[in-house]
Amino acid sequence: MSLTIYTKPGCFPCRKTIEKFQDAGLIPQIVDISSTPAALDYITGDPAEGGLGYSQAPVVVYERDGTEDHWSGLNPTKIRHVIALATASK
């Protein structure tokens, strides 16, 4: 399973999302979109052109067994779902 969180400095939802994963023992890859222009382009880009189409941080992308899912914003339901998937496979 891979887990990437695209964040920006000073973002409360970003910090809380990271904390929830870390508290569950998951260590996400964290990408600062303010210092990584390609990451910003990826998360805000047109989905028809390979982007994700989001306009708010954080953006969480996870892949498991060849299936990818993603969302933006602080989403406790999705976070719990990913944690459950990760802990079930251990």
Side-chain angles (χ1 to χ4, degrees):
M1 171 186 237
S2 69
L3 177 62
T4 304
I5 303 174
Y6 296 90
T7 69
K8 63 182 184 177
C11 170
F12 175 79
C14 300
R15 185 170 48 86
K16 293 308 289 183
T17 297
I18 293 165
E19 285 175 7
K20 288 185 177 293
F21 283 119
Q22 289 176 338
D23 289 348
L26 300 176
I27 307 302
Q29 176 183 359
I30 299 168
V31 179
D32 181 347
I33 59 174
S34 69
S35 63
T36 313
L40 178 60
D41 290 345
Y42 171 61
I43 66 166
T44 61
D46 185 339
E49 298 175 2
L52 298 180
Y54 293 116
S55 59
Q56 74 175 20
V59 173
V60 178
V61 178
Y62 80 93
E63 182 276 328
R64 180 174 181 252
D65 299 330
T67 302
E68 182 178 276
D69 193 12
H70 47 81
W71 70 87
S72 73
L74 177 58
N75 189 325
T77 301
K78 289 273 205 173
I79 293 169
R80 283 190 300 273
H81 177 71
V82 171
I83 291 169
L85 287 173
T87 55
S89 64
K90 287 185 178 180

